[in-house]
Amino acid sequence: MRRFHFKLQKLLELKEYREREWEQKLGELTGRMEAIRQRIAECGRNRRQAFISGASAGNDFVARVAAENYIRRMEHTSSQLHQDLGRLGKEREKIQVGYIEASRERKVFEKLKEKKAAEFYREERKNEILKQDDLNSSAAARRIEAGGKE
């Protein structure tokens, strides 16, 4: 039996490559977003620690002012990080749309390949059966001829 060869295999490989590229972009952006989330959490922890140290400073005016300034700085940094996270979220949505489209295109070619392969093997089995029938018919005809000549 012959092996199946998909004529559009190079195109399918190109679609798979394109899908992997989009997947890598999506993964990279998701990693950047996670890093920003961790930095936001870190700012929150630092802010709480500064609040506690400012409250425990008692009558030390300089320590309280420094703690308040640090708290404001952490809030500002956290606010900027939230804005960055929002921008990256929008960018991620666009990349996700591209990934879904690339994935859909690859799946179309995968299904086409599966259909063509099934059709090919169905035809091959049919041809094998026809060949076998021809061989059996020929063998039967030879036996009948051989039997009649004796």
Side-chain angles (χ1 to χ4, degrees), residues 20-79:
R20 280 192 307 272
E21 280 184 328
W22 280 106
E23 188 176 22
Q24 287 173 347
K25 287 179 187 178
L26 191 59
E28 176 197 335
L29 195 60
T30 301
R32 286 174 45 202
M33 289 175 72
E34 187 57 34
I36 288 175
R37 285 187 190 104
Q38 289 175 1
R39 287 179 58 201
I40 290 171
E42 184 181 336
C43 284
R45 285 190 301 273
N46 291 343
R47 186 181 161 277
R48 281 188 291 281
Q49 287 175 344
F51 180 78
I52 291 169
S53 69
S56 66
N59 292 333
D60 189 359
F61 179 74
V62 174
R64 277 212 245 156
V65 169
E68 286 178 23
N69 286 339
Y70 188 72
I71 289 170
R72 271 191 245 117
R73 184 171 145 225
M74 287 296 107
E75 288 172 348
H76 179 71
T77 301
S78 180
S79 174

Side-chain angles (χ1 to χ4, degrees), residues 110-126:
E110 285 281 336
K111 289 289 183 188
L112 180 62
K113 180 181 179 179
E114 289 171 9
K115 276 184 170 181
K116 292 291 184 182
E119 183 181 316
F120 173 81
Y121 287 118
R122 194 171 32 254
E123 281 296 316
E124 282 296 307
R125 281 191 295 276
K126 183 179 168 184

